[in-house]
Amino acid sequence: SPLRSININDKQSVGKNSRIIFWQDSFKKGIESEHACSEMFSTLFVKPRAGYYSYDLVLNPHDGPPPRDYESSAANPACVTSLIAALSTHPYVLSVKANFPIYHGWHVAQKLDSF
């Protein structure tokens, strides 16, 4: 992978760069891991948006995976982060945005933080 080649070429500066370490860990624990985020890819679905040339990727459509599949699912932040990185580097992808569902508890927390 490109991140590994950076690491091989310049070990001293990479070892201190937190951004490169973040991406290396995300890929190592996500798409490049042994489980390869298989649960996330097997359950996600693509939903076209009406009137736009865009699509929504719906992750964890059943409110999350069973506990045995957590590591390879979209509940694993490394899987989602490595998916976003992979999508954003594809030449046909113009932009990547995240729309998080709003849960009642989160909405209340946001209101309390605004005081």
Side-chain angles (χ1 to χ4, degrees), residues 1-4 6-7 14 17-33 77-89 96:
S1 84
L3 290 177
R4 288 193 183 131
I6 291 171
N7 193 14
V14 171
N17 190 323
S18 60
R19 289 180 183 156
I20 292 177
I21 292 169
F22 169 80
W23 288 110
Q24 284 177 326
D25 287 346
S26 293
F27 283 109
K28 184 170 43 172
K29 296 174 184 173
I31 289 176
E32 292 181 352
S33 68
C79 284
V80 176
T81 303
S82 53
L83 172 64
I84 291 169
L87 286 172
S88 63
T89 59
V96 177

Side-chain angles (χ1 to χ4, degrees), residues 47-111:
K47 192 169 131 181
R49 286 187 168 202
Y52 296 98
Y53 296 103
S54 64
Y55 302 90
D56 288 332
L57 291 180
V58 180
L59 305 174
N60 280 347
H62 307 294
D63 291 330
R68 71 180 186 284
D69 294 327
Y70 172 84
E71 188 178 30
S72 66
S73 75
N76 177 353
C79 284
V80 176
T81 303
S82 53
L83 172 64
I84 291 169
L87 286 172
S88 63
T89 59
H90 193 281
Y92 293 145
V93 175
L94 301 177
S95 68
V96 177
K97 297 177 186 173
N99 292 325
F100 296 101
I102 297 176
Y103 298 104
H104 180 71
W106 179 249
H107 187 66
V108 170
Q110 284 178 325
K111 288 204 179 277

Side-chain angles (χ1 to χ4, degrees), residues 29-52:
K29 296 174 184 173
I31 289 176
E32 292 181 352
S33 68
E34 187 175 317
H35 58 73
C37 302
S38 58
E39 179 68 17
M40 177 179 74
F41 286 112
S42 67
T43 59
L44 75 80
F45 64 92
V46 179
K47 192 169 131 181
R49 286 187 168 202
Y52 296 98

